[in-house]
Amino acid sequence: MKQAIELTAFNSNIDQLNTKFEQDRQTLKAQGDELEATKRTLNRSNQKAVDEFNARINEFNAAQKSFNASIAAQDAKNRDGRTSSHAFNTACAGVSYSKADEAVVLADLGLTENPMRMSGQARLQSTSSCKLDQQTVFERAEKAYSARDYVTALREYLALDRCGDARAQRRIGDMHYAGLGVPQNLGEARDWYLKAAKQGHETAQFNLGVIYFGGMGVTQDYAEARKWYSKAAQQGHANAQNALGAMLNGGQGGPRNSGEAASWFLKSAEQGYAPAQNNLGIAFASGKGMPQNFAEAAKWYKRAAEQRLAQAQFHLAGLYRRGEGVPLDVEEAYRWYMKAAEQGDAEAQYNLGMVYHQGTGVTADPVEAVNWLFRAARQGHVIAQFKMAVTYMKLSLREKPDRTDLVKAQMWATLAERTACAQVGASQRNAATTSAPYQNAYRTACSGARQIRAAAALKMNPAETAQAEKLVREWKANSGDDAPPSSAALREPPAPGTLQERLRPLPPRPPAPASGASTGDVFTIGPPPKPAGN
């Protein structure tokens, strides 16, 4: 009798569950009919919107299919007492999942928990057209992202993506771009940025411009980069305004327009973006896109310099050194050169080396001069490399020279010659690519480095020549010369006479077997090239 009563109660519970499931099923069907009606309306007005809506319909159908499978699983449980985990496995095509796997699959379905553990109202909300509290979910995702809990963040962002949230789509793009919580995939990053950019998200538009400009995961396309930079710039994105200005100034992806470039630099600079402030300073200093005005250039350089932008600190130092737009002040020039040089700016390091070499505003110090020139040369600054070749060549002419100095003179001269002579050729083809001070400096470095190489070769034996070539290869592999000449060597009295006079008595190169010609070149080193400011 007791078993009969329990069976009756059990059957009653099953009937109640089935009734509730049927109500939920009818509710979902009504919503599906409403979505289909909306689809038909959109189809008559906007085909593009329909295509996007179809994807949402497919997601709805997938969720409904999963829900139906869950109901069938619950029916099976009621019949034979199997566990709720079996119901979940049935919904997942019979594959066995751990608790963690269950959370991932449910997230992919757009659900927060197993439908069989949710109330009917919760199940209804989870499968309807997005009824998430998007702001709350986004804040939760951002908090997880900031805490580097990328798994949680990604799950929340993906849920928001199903609501078409552009902020979440952009952030998923960031995660693929940097490999945060997912394997780095620039192609995936581009796709997610594109989804957000099409909805007008300005940061996604800018990031898309960066990807196309750099050819990262896509074919490099300046026109496409300029298009997306322009879209973001028009929405007031400071980085994009500066990037668009740079492309306009360089004629990349479209016509060159220095005036329009300067106007975008100004908009970005007024928002406090330091690189744009520096670029606007360049525009005023050069007169490209703006009337030449050194006082205005100094104003914008200083704003960027105070934000610790090394390039602006270097440019501001140049104005103080030349007295352009500001009072001539070599001490102030030295101060700004030092700030930029300590941040690793190669141009500032070179100019600081020249300040110490010439004793401009500071006590002349050959050790400090060569140390800063060496730092610039290590970064590939071609004029600094030439100066290092000159330094080592002078050291090799002492009364008791170290043969290593001759080898290093050859090494630095080789590096300087290759780059400087290539730059001379490029400037001859297009004089607009290189300013006049730099053209003169490159010509000096090209001819001077060639002559140092020729003079050193006359004094080197085959083993030393091979060693110099090895040093060049090591330098290119970033494992080369890692220390300047010693302080003791640099403070030794120099060899009598100028470098030119010391080299002149060298015997001519032996005649070549074929032609019998000798070098006959006179080694001349002019005054140090004027440091280029702009």
Side-chain angles (χ1 to χ4, degrees), residues 195-427:
K195 289 180 73 173
K198 285 182 175 179
Q199 295 191 67
H201 193 287
E202 66 272 18
T203 302
Q205 292 171 339
F206 169 72
N207 290 347
L208 204 54
V210 171
I211 280 180
Y212 278 108
F213 185 86
M216 295 179 286
V218 296
T219 301
Q220 188 176 54
D221 189 333
Y222 287 146
E224 195 70 8
R226 186 158 161 171
K227 179 185 82 174
W228 289 110
Y229 282 152
S230 178
K231 288 179 180 292
Q234 289 167 12
Q235 295 195 68
H237 194 284
N239 298 38
Q241 290 170 339
N242 180 64
L244 178 60
M247 295 196 77
L248 285 162
N249 196 58
Q252 296 165 308
R256 185 191 303 270
N257 190 325
S258 297
E260 188 178 352
S263 70
W264 284 113
F265 291 146
L266 178 60
K267 290 178 181 179
S268 180
E270 287 176 338
Q271 294 191 63
Y273 188 53
Q277 292 171 339
N278 178 63
N279 286 337
L280 187 59
I282 294 173
F284 277 114
S286 64
K288 292 182 179 178
M290 288 289 187
Q292 190 173 52
N293 186 325
F294 288 112
E296 278 294 303
K299 179 184 81 173
W300 290 107
Y301 283 150
K302 189 169 185 178
R303 291 187 183 184
E306 288 172 344
Q307 295 189 59
R308 300 190 72 252
L309 186 69
Q311 289 177 321
Q313 292 170 340
F314 163 71
H315 286 138
L316 184 60
L319 293 185
Y320 276 111
R321 189 177 184 182
R322 297 185 297 274
E324 295 174 337
V326 291
L328 180 67
D329 190 334
V330 291
E331 291 183 358
E332 191 70 0
Y334 167 80
R335 185 171 76 87
W336 285 110
Y337 276 141
M338 181 62 78
K339 286 179 178 290
E342 288 177 339
Q343 291 194 72
D345 186 90
E347 286 286 356
Q349 290 170 343
Y350 167 74
N351 278 271
L352 190 58
M354 296 308 299
V355 165
Y356 275 111
H357 175 71
Q358 298 165 350
T360 308
V362 296
T363 302
D365 187 332
V367 175
E368 280 295 302
V370 171
N371 284 343
W372 285 110
L373 290 171
F374 177 78
R375 293 189 189 187
R378 283 283 292 166
Q379 294 196 67
H381 192 288
V382 62
I383 311 303
Q385 290 176 340
F386 170 59
K387 294 293 184 183
M388 291 306 302
V390 171
T391 298
Y392 277 112
M393 197 67 188
K394 286 182 177 180
L395 291 176
S396 75
L397 298 175
R398 293 172 299 174
E399 292 300 321
K400 295 181 179 180
D402 181 343
R403 300 292 294 182
T404 304
D405 293 333
L406 194 61
V407 172
K408 290 189 175 181
Q410 180 78 318
M411 165 212 163
W412 286 114
T414 300
L415 293 169
E417 178 194 2
R418 291 177 181 176
T419 304
C421 294
Q423 290 290 345
V424 169
S427 64

